Amino acid sequence: MRRLLLVLGLLLVVAALLALGFRFANGASRPEYSEPFPLEEKVELTPEEMEIKETIIEGFRLLGYADSTFDYSVLEKAFVDDPRFPLEDPFHEEVKRAFGKVPKGAGWLTSLKARYINYKGGVEALEAYERGKISQKELRELVAKGIEPYAKRPYLPDDEEVRSWFNFYDFKIEDDLAECVHRCGERIVRTYLVKRDGKWFIAYMKGIGIAP
Protein backbone atom coordinates (compact mmCIF):
# COMPACT_ATOMS: atom_id res chain seq x y z
CA MET A 1 0.00 0.00 0.00
CA ARG A 2 2.87 2.34 0.81
CA ARG A 3 4.33 1.88 -2.66
CA LEU A 4 0.98 2.56 -4.29
CA LEU A 5 0.41 5.67 -2.22
CA LEU A 6 3.93 6.86 -2.97
CA VAL A 7 3.13 6.56 -6.66
CA LEU A 8 -0.06 8.51 -6.07
CA GLY A 9 1.97 11.11 -4.21
CA LEU A 10 4.37 11.44 -7.11
CA LEU A 11 1.43 11.81 -9.46
CA LEU A 12 0.22 14.65 -7.26
CA VAL A 13 3.64 16.26 -7.60
CA VAL A 14 3.27 16.17 -11.35
CA ALA A 15 -0.17 17.67 -10.94
CA ALA A 16 1.21 20.33 -8.63
CA LEU A 17 4.10 21.25 -10.88
CA LEU A 18 2.58 20.70 -14.29
CA ALA A 19 -1.17 20.69 -13.94
CA LEU A 20 -2.37 22.39 -10.79
CA GLY A 21 -5.75 23.47 -11.94
CA PHE A 22 -4.66 23.45 -15.59
CA ARG A 23 -7.48 22.74 -18.01
CA PHE A 24 -5.58 20.22 -20.12
CA ALA A 25 -7.39 19.10 -23.25
CA ASN A 26 -8.67 15.54 -22.83
CA GLY A 27 -6.98 13.26 -25.32
CA ALA A 28 -5.09 16.13 -26.90
CA SER A 29 -2.41 14.99 -29.31
CA ARG A 30 -1.21 18.32 -30.69
CA PRO A 31 -1.26 21.85 -29.28
CA GLU A 32 -4.09 24.11 -30.34
CA TYR A 33 -3.85 27.89 -30.24
CA SER A 34 -6.21 30.78 -30.69
CA GLU A 35 -3.75 31.97 -33.36
CA PRO A 36 -1.64 29.32 -35.13
CA PHE A 37 2.13 29.71 -35.13
CA PRO A 38 5.09 27.30 -35.31
CA LEU A 39 6.42 25.78 -32.09
CA GLU A 40 9.88 27.26 -32.37
CA GLU A 41 11.66 28.32 -29.23
CA LYS A 42 12.12 32.06 -28.99
CA VAL A 43 15.77 32.58 -28.12
CA GLU A 44 16.20 36.35 -28.32
CA LEU A 45 13.97 37.87 -25.66
CA THR A 46 13.30 41.48 -24.77
CA PRO A 47 14.00 42.49 -21.15
CA GLU A 48 10.27 42.28 -20.36
CA GLU A 49 9.91 38.87 -21.98
CA MET A 50 12.92 37.69 -19.98
CA GLU A 51 11.25 38.91 -16.80
CA ILE A 52 8.07 37.01 -17.70
CA LYS A 53 10.10 33.86 -18.43
CA GLU A 54 11.87 34.07 -15.08
CA THR A 55 8.57 34.67 -13.26
CA ILE A 56 7.10 31.48 -14.73
CA ILE A 57 10.19 29.42 -13.86
CA GLU A 58 10.27 30.88 -10.37
CA GLY A 59 6.58 30.07 -9.96
CA PHE A 60 7.19 26.40 -10.64
CA ARG A 61 10.22 26.38 -8.36
CA LEU A 62 8.02 27.76 -5.59
CA LEU A 63 5.38 25.12 -6.31
CA GLY A 64 8.05 22.49 -5.76
CA TYR A 65 9.12 24.13 -2.52
CA ALA A 66 5.53 24.32 -1.26
CA ASP A 67 4.98 20.71 -2.21
CA SER A 68 7.98 19.64 -0.15
CA THR A 69 7.46 21.92 2.87
CA PHE A 70 3.68 22.70 2.84
CA ASP A 71 4.67 26.38 3.13
CA TYR A 72 2.26 27.77 0.56
CA SER A 73 2.85 31.37 1.70
CA VAL A 74 5.83 31.50 -0.69
CA LEU A 75 3.45 31.26 -3.64
CA GLU A 76 2.55 34.91 -3.17
CA LYS A 77 5.98 35.79 -4.57
CA ALA A 78 4.96 34.64 -8.05
CA PHE A 79 1.18 34.04 -8.13
CA VAL A 80 -1.80 36.30 -7.63
CA ASP A 81 -5.60 36.41 -7.63
CA ASP A 82 -6.89 38.76 -10.31
CA PRO A 83 -10.56 39.62 -11.04
CA ARG A 84 -9.96 38.99 -14.73
CA PHE A 85 -9.31 35.32 -13.88
CA PRO A 86 -11.85 34.39 -11.18
CA LEU A 87 -11.97 30.96 -9.54
CA GLU A 88 -13.75 28.52 -11.84
CA ASP A 89 -16.76 26.54 -10.65
CA PRO A 90 -15.10 23.08 -10.69
CA PHE A 91 -12.64 24.26 -8.02
CA HIS A 92 -15.14 25.78 -5.58
CA GLU A 93 -15.56 22.57 -3.57
CA GLU A 94 -11.82 22.11 -3.15
CA VAL A 95 -11.42 25.70 -1.98
CA LYS A 96 -14.37 25.32 0.42
CA ARG A 97 -12.79 22.18 1.85
CA ALA A 98 -9.56 24.07 2.51
CA PHE A 99 -10.94 27.40 3.75
CA GLY A 100 -14.48 26.59 4.83
CA LYS A 101 -15.81 28.92 2.15
CA VAL A 102 -14.81 30.52 -1.13
CA PRO A 103 -12.97 33.72 -0.13
CA LYS A 104 -14.03 36.93 -1.85
CA GLY A 105 -11.90 37.59 -4.90
CA ALA A 106 -10.65 33.99 -5.06
CA GLY A 107 -8.68 33.14 -8.16
CA TRP A 108 -5.55 31.31 -9.20
CA LEU A 109 -3.49 31.92 -6.06
CA THR A 110 -6.35 30.85 -3.79
CA SER A 111 -6.86 27.65 -5.79
CA LEU A 112 -3.17 26.78 -5.43
CA LYS A 113 -3.22 27.41 -1.69
CA ALA A 114 -6.29 25.19 -1.37
CA ARG A 115 -4.51 22.40 -3.23
CA TYR A 116 -1.62 22.49 -0.77
CA ILE A 117 -3.81 22.71 2.31
CA ASN A 118 -5.75 19.64 1.16
CA TYR A 119 -2.57 17.87 0.08
CA LYS A 120 -1.08 18.38 3.55
CA GLY A 121 -4.20 16.88 5.08
CA GLY A 122 -3.79 13.84 2.84
CA VAL A 123 -0.15 13.37 3.81
CA GLU A 124 -0.95 13.71 7.51
CA ALA A 125 -3.79 11.17 7.17
CA LEU A 126 -1.48 8.62 5.57
CA GLU A 127 1.25 9.19 8.16
CA ALA A 128 -1.27 8.81 11.00
CA TYR A 129 -2.46 5.51 9.52
CA GLU A 130 1.07 4.19 9.05
CA ARG A 131 1.97 5.06 12.64
CA GLY A 132 -1.10 3.27 13.94
CA LYS A 133 -2.76 6.45 15.18
CA ILE A 134 -5.86 5.82 13.10
CA SER A 135 -7.39 2.58 11.83
CA GLN A 136 -8.05 1.59 8.24
CA LYS A 137 -11.74 2.26 8.89
CA GLU A 138 -10.94 5.77 10.10
CA LEU A 139 -8.75 6.32 7.05
CA ARG A 140 -11.63 5.27 4.79
CA GLU A 141 -13.89 7.69 6.65
CA LEU A 142 -11.43 10.50 5.94
CA VAL A 143 -11.35 9.52 2.27
CA ALA A 144 -15.15 9.61 2.22
CA LYS A 145 -14.92 13.22 3.46
CA GLY A 146 -12.71 14.15 0.51
CA ILE A 147 -9.28 13.71 2.09
CA GLU A 148 -7.04 11.75 -0.26
CA PRO A 149 -4.05 10.03 1.40
CA TYR A 150 -0.72 10.93 -0.24
CA ALA A 151 2.92 10.07 0.35
CA LYS A 152 4.98 13.20 0.85
CA ARG A 153 7.19 14.34 -1.99
CA PRO A 154 10.57 12.60 -1.56
CA TYR A 155 12.78 15.39 -2.91
CA LEU A 156 12.93 19.06 -3.89
CA PRO A 157 13.97 19.73 -7.51
CA ASP A 158 16.91 22.09 -7.95
CA ASP A 159 16.95 25.10 -10.26
CA GLU A 160 18.68 23.24 -13.10
CA GLU A 161 16.04 20.50 -13.09
CA VAL A 162 13.17 22.99 -13.03
CA ARG A 163 14.65 24.96 -15.95
CA SER A 164 14.99 21.77 -18.00
CA TRP A 165 11.19 21.46 -18.05
CA PHE A 166 10.74 24.63 -20.13
CA ASN A 167 10.91 26.01 -23.64
CA PHE A 168 9.35 29.38 -24.43
CA TYR A 169 7.60 29.91 -27.76
CA ASP A 170 5.49 33.06 -27.80
CA PHE A 171 4.87 36.24 -25.79
CA LYS A 172 2.08 38.78 -26.09
CA ILE A 173 2.19 41.84 -23.85
CA GLU A 174 -0.42 44.58 -23.62
CA ASP A 175 -0.26 47.12 -20.82
CA ASP A 176 -0.45 45.20 -17.50
CA LEU A 177 -1.47 41.87 -19.06
CA ALA A 178 0.79 39.30 -20.70
CA GLU A 179 0.28 35.90 -22.32
CA CYS A 180 3.05 33.37 -22.78
CA VAL A 181 2.97 29.98 -24.53
CA HIS A 182 5.62 27.56 -23.29
CA ARG A 183 6.47 23.94 -22.70
CA CYS A 184 6.36 22.60 -19.17
CA GLY A 185 7.45 18.99 -19.09
CA GLU A 186 5.29 17.09 -21.55
CA ARG A 187 2.63 19.79 -21.78
CA ILE A 188 2.18 22.99 -23.74
CA VAL A 189 0.81 25.66 -21.43
CA ARG A 190 -0.57 29.14 -21.94
CA THR A 191 0.24 31.30 -18.92
CA TYR A 192 -1.39 34.66 -18.22
CA LEU A 193 0.42 37.22 -16.10
CA VAL A 194 -0.54 40.59 -14.66
CA LYS A 195 1.77 43.41 -13.69
CA ARG A 196 1.50 44.92 -10.23
CA ASP A 197 3.80 47.59 -8.85
CA GLY A 198 6.23 46.98 -11.69
CA LYS A 199 6.42 43.19 -11.20
CA TRP A 200 4.84 40.35 -13.17
CA PHE A 201 2.72 37.73 -11.37
CA ILE A 202 1.08 34.57 -12.69
CA ALA A 203 -2.72 34.97 -12.70
CA TYR A 204 -3.83 31.88 -14.62
CA MET A 205 -2.40 28.86 -16.43
CA LYS A 206 -4.11 26.69 -19.00
CA GLY A 207 -2.80 23.49 -20.53
CA ILE A 208 -3.49 23.54 -24.26
CA GLY A 209 -1.85 20.40 -25.58
CA ILE A 210 0.91 17.83 -25.57
CA ALA A 211 4.51 18.84 -26.24
CA PRO A 212 5.84 17.67 -29.63
Side-chain angles (χ1 to χ4, degrees):
M1 182 177 182
R2 173 70 180 182
R3 181 181 295 274
L4 174 61
L5 290 171
L6 178 59
V7 171
L8 291 174
L10 291 173
L11 289 175
L12 177 71
V13 170
V14 174
L17 297 178
L18 304 181
L20 259 175
F22 293 2
R23 290 25 158 202
F24 287 147
N26 291 329
S29 58
R30 300 292 298 179
E32 294 182 359
Y33 305 100
S34 56
E35 298 178 12
F37 59 88
L39 277 176
E40 296 181 2
E41 184 171 12
K42 188 171 184 180
V43 178
E44 295 184 6
L45 304 181
T46 67
E48 192 137 49
E49 289 172 343
M50 181 62 72
E51 184 180 344
I52 289 170
K53 170 185 173 179
E54 291 301 319
T55 297
I56 293 171
I57 293 174
E58 173 68 359
F60 276 81
R61 188 188 69 78
L62 293 173
L63 287 172
Y65 177 83
D67 192 67
S68 179
T69 66
F70 303 129
D71 180 11
Y72 58 79
S73 67
V74 299
L75 300 179
E76 296 177 6
K77 296 179 181 179
F79 298 91
V80 72
D81 289 330
D82 187 276
R84 287 168 287 190
F85 303 95
L87 184 70
E88 295 179 329
D89 290 342
F91 298 95
H92 280 212
E93 284 305 315
E94 184 167 44
V95 170
K96 287 179 182 178
R97 189 161 66 248
F99 295 104
K101 63 178 181 179
V102 176
K104 184 178 180 181
W108 189 246
L109 175 60
T110 297
S111 70
L112 292 178
K113 288 181 176 181
R115 281 292 179 99
Y116 283 108
I117 290 171
N118 294 330
Y119 168 50
K120 180 181 180 181
V123 170
E124 290 175 343
L126 175 59
E127 291 178 346
Y129 171 72
E130 291 184 328
R131 293 171 182 171
K133 294 182 178 180
I134 62 174
S135 66
Q136 188 172 32
K137 179 182 177 181
E138 289 172 318
L139 181 63
R140 287 197 297 265
E141 290 173 349
L142 290 174
V143 172
K145 293 178 181 179
I147 297 176
E148 299 182 46
Y150 289 107
K152 189 177 181 181
R153 181 181 177 88
Y155 76 100
L156 181 64
D158 58 26
D159 184 67
E160 182 178 357
E161 179 180 350
V162 173
R163 287 182 178 276
S164 71
W165 300 340
F166 292 91
N167 295 100
F168 290 83
Y169 304 117
D170 188 61
F171 296 82
K172 293 183 177 67
I173 304 171
E174 185 174 347
D175 300 325
D176 66 339
L177 183 64
E179 176 185 332
C180 177
V181 175
H182 58 89
R183 178 181 72 86
C184 181
E186 297 181 353
R187 301 290 185 172
I188 301 298
V189 180
R190 178 178 282 119
T191 295
Y192 297 89
L193 304 94
V194 297
K195 200 168 193 177
R196 294 187 178 179
D197 298 323
K199 184 180 184 301
W200 288 104
F201 292 87
I202 298 168
Y204 184 68
M205 306 180 93
K206 179 180 181 180
I208 55 177
I210 308 300

